[in-house]
Amino acid sequence: MLESLLAFAGAAVLIALVPGPSTVVIMRQSLRSGRRAGLAAVLGNETGVLLWGVAAAVGLSALLAASRLAYEGLRVAGAVVLVWFGVRALWGARRGGPAAAAAGEDLRVERGGAGAGASGWRSYRLGLVTNFANPKAGVFAVSFLPQFVPEGWPVAAVLVGFSVLWALIDLVWYTAVVWLVGSARRVLGRPVVRRRLDQVSGVVLVGLGVRLAAEVR
């Protein structure tokens, strides 16, 4: 069991390092609303990881992997969500937004004011929805996790345990990302730089959405 656990942990670390839609959303939330919002987005993403793992344990992800209709439906919905996020980022960058209002919102969030709870919940939902918007996560869960289940061990219980470990590894990595973005926020948070980063993140999200929509299974 120890060998399987170490092999899975190593693979999960490598997977966490590969950037994707969740990375873009987490970095953007950290930049726009501070570390607290970034961590909320991370928690939302890891909730999605856990739910995909549980779905794999009970066989729901297998249905997604086997059913073309289910996969295509989730793929199209996920593409729409990613494009929508990207368009919103581009629209926000184009408008520029009142710098004082943005700064005021960020200050309330960092001080734990009235806007902090709303921003944290919004960021959590963004992280969760972004994770759910990727049908590959479900297919990955059902095709990747079972490979590491030792022979003779209860499959469902081990899959849930691996999902928890997967989420914890993700959590450590994305927390480091949030911390790094927060440390550079004074520079990255300047209005001109912020607009450029919004443009970049918007283009990346739209591109990921279009790529997902055009993908042939």
Side-chain angles (χ1 to χ4, degrees), residues 118-183:
S119 177
W121 173 239
R122 183 166 57 249
S123 297
Y124 177 86
R125 285 183 299 171
L126 278 173
L128 180 62
V129 170
T130 302
N131 187 279
F132 277 165
N134 186 3
K136 291 182 179 179
V139 176
F140 179 77
V142 76
S143 61
F144 176 70
L145 297 181
Q147 299 179 35
F148 297 91
V149 177
E151 186 177 353
W153 284 72
V155 176
V158 174
L159 288 181
V160 171
F162 279 163
S163 301
V164 172
L165 178 59
W166 182 10
L168 289 175
I169 290 171
D170 256 13
L171 181 64
V172 171
W173 166 245
Y174 282 128
T175 298
V177 170
V178 169
W179 186 86
L180 288 172
V181 172
S183 298

Side-chain angles (χ1 to χ4, degrees), residues 96-118:
E105 179 185 352
D106 292 347
L107 187 59
R108 286 196 301 272
V109 170
E110 289 188 341
R111 289 181 177 176

Side-chain angles (χ1 to χ4, degrees), residues 45-129:
N45 184 73
E46 302 323 313
T47 299
V49 168
L50 288 174
L51 291 177
W52 279 123
V54 172
V58 300
L60 295 179
S61 289
L63 174 63
L64 179 63
S67 170
R68 181 177 181 84
L69 180 61
Y71 180 88
E72 292 298 327
L74 187 56
R75 180 177 64 84
V76 172
V80 170
V81 169
L82 292 177
V83 170
W84 170 245
F85 285 172
V87 169
R88 285 186 61 186
L90 290 171
W91 179 248
R94 183 172 183 272
R95 289 177 59 192
E105 179 185 352
D106 292 347
L107 187 59
R108 286 196 301 272
V109 170
E110 289 188 341
R111 289 181 177 176
S119 177
W121 173 239
R122 183 166 57 249
S123 297
Y124 177 86
R125 285 183 299 171
L126 278 173
L128 180 62
V129 170

